């Protein structure tokens, strides 16, 4: 067992994301009695697709949260030195790293194909007689336990069998517990349980096989690709949620004010968002990120460890994405507020002399929440996709921080190698595609349930 | 109508002023010219003298807004704000940090951009409408549901993978077209096929899905029931009644993009080595050439505002109900 | 052409279900349409009358399913035809007109082209001959200047003309059978009368067999030969029109007929001290034009209205849509800024008061809106909705007293006290309107502005709500400004009546005087189109 000699590290992004979780939880807790919200959510979750996609998203979010619990390990005191002072590792580790059980620490020298035993490229080395030969090098962390290379596939089969047994046992425990609690429920929980079982089995398999092989190979720098892909989850999920979190207050405040007070307030808000949206978004983002990077470069002493520097850039990116993208939501909310202001219940509130603040808080805001929600879910996937593009352009995540965009960016020319190195791209593609697809499908369901306009416009008697 | 257009053009002025102020604040107030010089020169060469030298060379050695040392009108004109921002209004973009004339660069580079963007745009809309129409014909069947799923799946693939995949399959494996490059004199279409194909394909998911919803929205309208009661066939209803009505939001939704086609596409141009404005911007961002970025922001805003005006005009043209006033 | 009275279409035991739940929408509807006669199918919303009409033409939305029955036209069962042959029946043999002509016409096609399409589909007419036929049809249905109207778009025509286009479209191929689904509901009463007369004439001259679907007993009285009353998916009574109105067999039919106005009994006019006085009130909206958006003119929504409402009195403000009557109501509530004149409440001028200074008067002047579904915040409980005014206007009540008062109010409007914890979407339109009344009463007002409070309700429920309003007036002595387009509810309700047209009050007087001896030609026109029994 590992000793808990560790110093917790709270990065700014960690703090923000846990704050977001708390905010969301209280938000939904307070809405629990609202009849419309309940009805609509139950519409989303009564479909199997809703259950499956929600579970997948939750798995991603869970991994992202585990990866947001950071600490620095205590270093063992050098032998012979008696000191009470504890030194901490300069490298920041997360709970996810612990659970992956050293998956990220098994470096090779350079490329290796998935499940390979030898390196992908030839390199110079000495044979047992000390002669210089050029051959494929044996990997340091793959298949070392095998008696002969021919045993690889039987060994893999054996490992898979054991992993599946453990995985199924764990899945049975997790699902069984939920079954006891939820068996009377009308929702199709079994769809969710199936996904949970598959995910648990896959993770158990991945972690246990990774002890002996590189499941998705290694990249140019010799890092395990599967590990990198998993580390990309936190970046993707946090970027998708935090940017929206930054954008929401601006968009909602301005949109509601413009739609409610009309007149000059409306003119000013409209001017603001027309101006902002007329600037090519990518240039604005790029310029802002570059300017922030200049600031980081010129003030290096503000950041204790390298990770904090990367984190500062990450937060800045979230803020910049949020600050540059509020115009479309603002427009929607303004239009909806204009509509609601004309409705009988707002007029009645005026007739009752209810104050502006109370009308906004009680009558207008609760009735535009559905737009906020739809936007939150819809924007999530597009932000995850945007991260990859921004990283390619060079204004995305700091290269030292794992992200799918950086993986793609590093690997974009590798397909033109002969033979092609496809696994880095494949890893990033798979993990990104699953998240974005699940989010897109889920957002469709949410929109169908919450947007009265998208409901089937059937005419009847 | 004319009065309306004139008013819209006048309204564009405060917006452009706003754009200008915003970019100016970003570039010169958040980060001082000193900071920029330091990062341009690189850590090794940062000395006060070098910074002054760099600033003088690039015209940043003036006060931001007010020049107290000058007299008369020059107190206002001999400033960074005037020379770098106000002169954009006269389409005087000046020189890039590397000393090239931006106006010349822009005017030569916009044509390759247009050569890729225009066919991608037109073909994309046409393909999306066709695909969406086909799906709508089968509305309510499982084919429709699967098509929507495929659209969403296509939407969920990063644009980068379309480009990388397209280059790998079409150019490298099948060797049908060159991987990248552009030669305006020698068979330019050979270089254009793949970029156009990639951009059309990557747009199908979101485009066809959006058009499908527009078609379905129209299909639920009362006039469709009237047409049915007249005895019109489903196909006739689709093409004669639903399509013309749905084209209004489609048309007006894409018109705003037309002027921006000149700007090209950042990713397509850089991957395929097309010397257009897209790759120009990307290079500027990567080399942190803020003079170019500033000019491109200004051009982009003008094109967008122009697109907005075009949208309004296209409304009156497409929809008999709309009269501008 | 066959002789009058021949059966042209026979609907037998038509049954329709909701595809998803199997809930029965039509439970065996049978009827016959005869040449030269109009069969009126009457019923309230949700009774299944529109479903019947759509089902006969196989135009039901996918959510509804025909499970049994037959529709015979010339001995051919329409339900057995393949879809392709059905297309040659629609528009050619059986034609339809729909309720809202504005949305039922294709907005981006010229009206001439839309009528021509029917002819193109079913006749070999093309080119000039086709155009001439369309123009001829236009003049037949009474469209002025038919030749130039050919290239008009629907939005360029008035509501009445749009409905005439629909009729021209339906009659283009000289069908035997016409199904008209609420053809006049969206029209103002004066136009309504003209369109109904046109349908009646055409029925006689062309020997059409007409199925007229309507919720309006007045329309039935004027136009139909035979009546079928629909209630919850069944025809509960079928009778010739004279017999039906003089001797209805079902209670429900009697209720429908009783909702028609009785022009013999009026509220007696009591002279009282004036509560609200309007002097030359104006509400103008600026029209801006040109590059600089200068105000070039004003829309005169309310143009110099003077009237006076006494304590405990009901003043009915009557007018068609767009006449400015609702705007006037909003101006009195200070929700709209008045551009001129004086609004005196108990002698005080409240027209120009600020938001804050208006507060004390908010308690005294309350409002009930037209659409009960949008006049309550869907996220608040009924209790919270009723309490809103009491809280914000500071009635000086403790929380407990407030709860008690909510209970009393719910009792008073004949709703259960437990309803206070429910949300608006659980209630019907009539119940919601009772809640709206309770909400208004909560602050003990002296004047309630009722803006078309019953126009969204079915006739049978309308009577109950109106009855409740009158009871409350006797009990609390509250005054009503009753804004309505429907003259038929006026006699039993109002003491005074004012008739508004284009922002001006063209005539006012006691209810009896306006309804029996109108002076202004517009009032006469309005009155003429009011359906009533005594004309029979």
């Amino acid at each position: 067992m590992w000793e808990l000699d560790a110093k917790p590290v709270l990065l700014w992004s960690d703090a923000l994301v846990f704050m977001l979780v708390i905010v969301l939880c209280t938000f939904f807790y307070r809405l629990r009695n609202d009849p419309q919200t309940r009805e609509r959510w139950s519409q989303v979750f009564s479909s199997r697709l809703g259950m499956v996609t929600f579970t997948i998203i939750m798995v991603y979010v869970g991994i992202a949260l585990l990866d947001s619990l950071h600490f620095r390990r205590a270093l063992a005191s050098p032998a012979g030195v008696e000191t009470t002072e504890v030194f901490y590792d300069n490298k920041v580790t997360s709970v996810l790293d612990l659970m992956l059980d050293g998956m990220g620490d098994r470096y090779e020298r350079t490329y290796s194909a998935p499940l390979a035993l030898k390196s992908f490229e030839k390199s110079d080395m000495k044979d047992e007689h000390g002669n210089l030969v050029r051959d494929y090098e044996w990997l340091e962390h793959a298949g070392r336990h095998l008696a002969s290379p021919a045993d690889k596939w039987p060994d893999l089969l054996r490992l898979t069998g054991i992993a599946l047994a453990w995985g199924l046992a764990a899945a049975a425990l997790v699902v069984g517990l939920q079954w006891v609690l939820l068996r009377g429920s009308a929702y199709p929980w079994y769809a969710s349980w199936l996904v949970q079982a598959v995910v648990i089995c896959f993770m158990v398999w991945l972690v246990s096989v990774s002890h002996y092989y590189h499941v998705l190979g290694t990249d140019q720098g010799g890092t395990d690709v599967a590990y990198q892909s998993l580390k990309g989850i936190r970046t993707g999920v946090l970027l998708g949620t935090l940017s929206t979190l930054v954008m929401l207050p601006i968009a909602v405040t301005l949109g509601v004010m413009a739609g409610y007070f009309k007149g000059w307030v409306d003119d000013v808000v409209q001017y603001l968002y027309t101006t902002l949206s007329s600037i090519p978004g990518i240039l604005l983002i790029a310029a802002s990120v570059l300017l922030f990077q200049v600031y980081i470069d010129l003030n290096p002493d503000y950041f204790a460890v390298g990770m904090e520097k990367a984190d500062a850039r990450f937060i800045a990116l979230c803020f910049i994405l949020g600050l540059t993208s509020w115009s479309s939501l603002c427009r929607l909310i303004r239009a909806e507020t204009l509509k609601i202001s004309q409705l009988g219940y707002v007029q009645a509130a005026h007739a009752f002399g209810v104050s502006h603040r109370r009308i906004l808080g009680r009558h207008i805001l609760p009735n535009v929440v559905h737009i906020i929600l739809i936007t939150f879910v819809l924007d999530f996937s597009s932000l995850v996709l945007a991260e990859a593009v921004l990283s390619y352009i060079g204004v995305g995540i700091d290269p030292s921080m794992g992200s799918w965009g950086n993986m793609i960016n590093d690997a974009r020319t590798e397909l033109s190698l002969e033979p092609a190195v496809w696994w880095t791209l494949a890893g990033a593609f798979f993990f990104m595609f699953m998240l974005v697809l699940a989010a897109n499908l889920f957002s469709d369901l949410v929109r169908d349930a919450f947007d009265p306009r998208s409901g089937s416009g059937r005419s009847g008697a | 109508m004319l009065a309306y257009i004139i008013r819209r053009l006048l309204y564009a002025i405060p917006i452009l002023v706003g754009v200008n102020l915003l970019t100016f604040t970003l570039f010169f107030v958040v980060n001082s010219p000193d900071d920029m010089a330091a990062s341009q020169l690189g850590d090794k060469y940062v000395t006060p003298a070098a910074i002054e030298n760099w600033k003088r060379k690039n015209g940043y050695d003036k006060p931001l807004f007010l020049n107290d040392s000058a007299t008369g009108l020059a107190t206002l004109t001999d400033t960074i704000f005037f020379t770098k921002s106000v002169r954009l209004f006269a389409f005087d973009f000046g020189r890039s940090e590397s000393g090239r004339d931006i106006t010349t660069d822009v005017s030569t580079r916009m044509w390759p951009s247009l050569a890729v963007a225009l066919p991608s745009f037109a073909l994309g809309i046409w393909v999306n409408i066709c695909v969406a129409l086909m799906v709508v014909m089968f509305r309510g069947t499982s084919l429709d549901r699967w098509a929507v799923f495929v659209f969403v799946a296509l939407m969920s693939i990063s644009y980068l993978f379309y480009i990388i995949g397209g280059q790998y399959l079409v150019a490298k494996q099948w060797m049908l077209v060159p991987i990248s490059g552009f030669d305006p004199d020698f068979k330019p279409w050979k270089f254009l096929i793949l970029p156009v194909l990639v951009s059309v394909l990557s747009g199908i998911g979101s485009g066809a899905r959006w058009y499908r919803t527009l078609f379905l929205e129209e299909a639920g309208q009362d006039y469709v029931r009237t047409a049915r009661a007249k005895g019109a066939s489903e196909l006739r209803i689709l093409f004669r009644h639903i399509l013309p009505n749905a084209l209004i939001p489609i048309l007006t939704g894409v018109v705003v993009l037309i002027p921006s086609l000149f700007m090209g596409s950042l990713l397509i141009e850089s991957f395929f080595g097309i010397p257009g404005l897209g790759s120009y911007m990307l290079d500027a961002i990567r080399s942190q050439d803020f003079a170019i970025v500033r000019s491109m922001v200004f051009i982009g805003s003008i094109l967008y505002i122009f697109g907005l005006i075009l949208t309004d005009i296209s409304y009156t043209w497409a929809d008999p109900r709309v009269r501008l006033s | 052409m066959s002789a009058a009275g021949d059966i042209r279409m026979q609907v037998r035991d038509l049954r329709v279900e909701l595809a998803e739940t199997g809930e029965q929408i039509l439970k065996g509807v049978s009827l016959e349409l005869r040449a030269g006669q109009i069969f009126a199918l009457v019923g309230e919303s949700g009774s299944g009358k529109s479903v019947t009409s759509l089902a006969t033409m196989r135009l039901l939305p996918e959510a509804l399913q025909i499970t049994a029955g037959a529709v015979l036209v010339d001995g051919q069962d329409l339900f057995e035809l393949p879809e392709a042959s059905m297309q040659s029946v629609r528009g050619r043999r059986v034609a339809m007109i729909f309720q809202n002509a504005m949305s039922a016409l294709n907005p981006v096609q010229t009206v001439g082209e839309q009528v021509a399409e029917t002819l193109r589909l079913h006749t070999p007419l093309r080119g000039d001959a086709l155009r001439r036929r369309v123009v001829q049809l236009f003049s037949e249905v009474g469209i002025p200047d038919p030749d130039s109207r050919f290239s008009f778009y629907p939005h360029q025509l008035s509501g009445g003309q749009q409905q005439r286009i629909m009729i021209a479209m339906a009659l283009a191929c000289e069908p035997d059978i016409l199904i008209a689904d609420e053809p006049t509901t969206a029209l103002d009463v004066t136009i309504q009368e003209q369109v109904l007369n046109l349908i009646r004439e055409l029925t006689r001259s062309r020997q059409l067999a007409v199925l007229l679907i309507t919720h309006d007993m007045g329309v039935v009285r004027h136009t139909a030969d035979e009546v079928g009353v629909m209630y919850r998916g069944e025809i509960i009574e079928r009778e010739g029109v004279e017999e039906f109105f003089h001797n209805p067999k079902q209670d429900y039919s009697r209720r429908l007929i009783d909702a028609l106005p009785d022009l013999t009994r009026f509220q007696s006019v009591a002279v009282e001290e004036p509560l609200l006085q309007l002097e030359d009130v104006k509400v103008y909206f600026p029209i801006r034009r040109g590059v600089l958006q200068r105000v070039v003119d004003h829309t005169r929504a309310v143009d110099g209205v003077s009237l006076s409402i006494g304590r405990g009195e009901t003043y009915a403000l009557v007018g068609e849509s767009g006449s400015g009557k609702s705007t006037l109501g909003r101006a009195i509530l200070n929700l709209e800024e008045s551009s001129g004149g004086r609004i005196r409440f108990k002698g005080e001028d409240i027209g120009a008061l600020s938001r804050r200074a208006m507060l004390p008067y908010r308690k005294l002047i309350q409002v009930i809106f037209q659409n009960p579904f949008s006049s309550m915040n869907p996220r608040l409980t009924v209790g919270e909705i009723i309490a809103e005014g009491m809280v914000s206007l500071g009635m000086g009540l403790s929380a407990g007293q407030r709860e008690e008062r909510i209970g009393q109010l719910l009792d008073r409007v004949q709703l259960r006290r437990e309803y206070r914890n429910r949300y608006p979407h659980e209630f019907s339109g009539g119940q919601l309107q009772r809640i709206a009344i309770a909400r208004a009463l909560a602050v003990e007002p002296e004047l309630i502005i009722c803006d078309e409070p019953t126009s969204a309700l079915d006739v049978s429920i309308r009577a109950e709500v109106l009855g409740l309003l009158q009871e409350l007036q006797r009990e609390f002595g509250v005054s009503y400004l009753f804004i309505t387009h429907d003259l038929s509810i006026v006699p039993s309700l109002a003491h005074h009546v004012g008739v508004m047209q284009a922002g001006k009050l063209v005539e006012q007087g006691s209810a009896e005087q306006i309804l029996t001896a109108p002076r202004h030609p517009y009032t006469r026109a309005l009155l003429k189109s009011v359906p009533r029994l005594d004309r029979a």
Side-chain angles (χ1 to χ4, degrees), chain A residues 331-347:
Chain A
R331 209 181 302 231
L332 286 177
I333 290 193
R334 173 183 166 269
E336 187 71 14
T337 310
L338 274 175
K339 213 172 75 194
I340 294 174
S341 305
Q342 297 306 315
L343 286 184
Y345 58 85
V346 177
Q347 297 293 329

Side-chain angles (χ1 to χ4, degrees), chain B residues 1-321:
Chain B
M1 180 77 182
L2 190 69
Y4 178 81
I5 292 173
I6 293 174
R7 203 174 80 234
R8 286 302 302 259
L9 285 174
L10 289 178
Y11 185 57
I13 295 172
I15 291 179
L16 284 176
V17 170
V19 168
N20 236 325
L21 278 175
L22 186 72
T23 40
F24 183 80
T25 319
L26 259 182
F27 288 109
F28 296 106
V29 181
V30 175
N31 277 72
S32 66
D34 288 359
D35 296 338
M36 256 177 3
S39 81
Q40 278 278 327
L41 291 168
D43 289 340
K44 279 183 208 158
Y45 308 102
V46 178
T47 58
I51 288 178
E52 281 310 312
N53 194 22
W54 185 88
K55 275 164 66 181
R56 192 165 46 252
K57 202 180 79 197
N58 290 290
Y60 293 121
D61 55 344
K62 294 170 184 148
L64 284 180
F65 289 106
L66 277 177
N67 192 346
D68 296 330
S69 59
T71 52
L73 207 56
T75 40
L76 287 175
T77 56
D78 197 23
T79 58
I80 295 184
F81 182 66
F82 188 83
T83 53
K84 298 289 174 187
S85 275
V86 180
R87 279 164 82 169
L88 292 176
F89 281 100
F91 293 96
D92 175 5
F93 300 125
R95 292 184 174 277
S96 69
E97 321 290 31
S98 55
R100 293 174 58 91
D101 184 44
I102 296 178
T103 314
T104 327
D105 277 351
V106 168
S107 54
T108 51
R109 276 174 165 260
M110 65 189 209
W111 302 113
S113 280
L114 206 59
V116 180
L118 199 61
S120 310
F121 176 76
L123 196 67
I125 292 174
W126 186 76
V127 167
N128 289 345
I129 290 180
C130 290
V131 173
L133 274 177
M134 266 192 304
V135 172
V136 169
M137 260 189 252
F138 294 97
R139 62 178 177 270
T141 66
S142 56
L143 191 88
D144 178 36
R145 281 193 293 280
W146 277 107
V148 174
F149 183 81
V150 171
F151 291 157
V152 176
L154 286 175
M155 274 170 65
S156 307
I157 298 173
S158 170
Y159 196 47
L160 295 166
F161 286 114
Y162 281 101
I163 301 176
I164 295 170
Q167 281 187 328
Y168 178 71
L169 280 181
V170 182
K172 191 188 166 198
Q173 294 295 98
W174 305 336
M175 292 194 271
L176 296 178
V177 290
I179 288 187
S180 69
F182 186 73
D183 185 347
D185 304 321
F186 176 72
K187 289 189 185 166
W189 56 268
K190 266 189 102 165
F191 297 100
L192 292 182
I193 291 176
L194 191 54
V196 170
L197 192 77
V198 165
S199 24
V200 169
L201 206 66
S202 63
I204 285 184
S206 55
R209 193 175 76 127
W210 180 40
Y211 295 165
R212 175 185 163 274
T213 20
L214 290 178
F215 287 141
L216 287 185
E217 211 165 274
E218 291 298 328
Q221 299 291 322
D222 283 355
Y223 66 82
V224 172
R225 194 176 56 182
T226 311
R228 232 171 248 143
K230 274 186 207 175
S233 66
E234 284 301 309
L235 217 58
R236 191 188 169 88
I237 291 173
L238 190 60
F239 281 94
R240 282 302 186 79
H241 293 279
I242 296 179
L243 186 60
N245 275 288
L247 275 180
I248 296 172
I250 292 179
L251 188 80
T252 45
V254 297
V255 161
V256 68
L257 301 174
I258 291 178
S260 307
L261 291 179
F262 282 102
M263 302 279 283
S265 154
L266 245 59
L267 294 182
I268 286 275
E269 289 183 15
S270 88
F271 267 101
F272 290 100
I274 291 160
L277 285 181
S279 50
Y280 188 56
M281 283 187 278
L282 190 64
D283 294 342
I285 293 169
R286 287 194 168 149
S287 63
Q288 310 203 353
D289 193 327
F290 289 125
I292 296 178
V293 173
R294 232 166 29 229
S295 309
M296 293 310 289
V297 164
F298 189 74
I299 296 173
S301 310
I302 289 182
L303 292 176
Y304 177 81
I305 293 168
F306 189 53
L308 286 182
I309 299 174
L310 274 188
T311 306
D312 285 342
I313 297 172
S314 73
Y315 254 120
T316 54
W317 178 72
D319 190 339
R321 285 165 293 186

Side-chain angles (χ1 to χ4, degrees), chain A residues 10-88:
Chain A
L10 189 68
L11 296 177
W12 272 106
S13 56
D14 301 340
L16 283 176
V17 77
F18 284 109
M19 216 168 74
L20 176 66
V21 169
I22 293 167
V23 168
L24 282 181
C25 286
T26 42
F27 175 69
F28 283 111
Y29 181 75
R30 285 189 55 179
L31 273 182
R32 75 199 181 285
N33 283 331
D34 187 69
Q36 273 193 345
T37 317
R38 280 173 76 100
E39 193 182 315
R40 284 162 175 183
W41 277 119
S42 82
Q43 189 187 330
V44 172
F45 287 109
S46 52
S47 73
R48 273 173 311 189
L49 189 64
M51 273 292 174
V52 170
T53 49
F54 181 72
T55 313
I56 294 177
I57 295 171
M58 278 301 119
V59 167
Y60 272 90
V61 171
I63 293 177
L65 290 181
L66 286 176
D67 205 9
S68 299
L69 293 167
H70 287 109
F71 57 88
R72 282 158 74 179
R73 251 186 259 245
L75 293 173
S77 319
V81 183
E82 285 297 319
T83 170
T84 50
E85 197 183 350
V86 188
F87 291 95
Y88 292 98

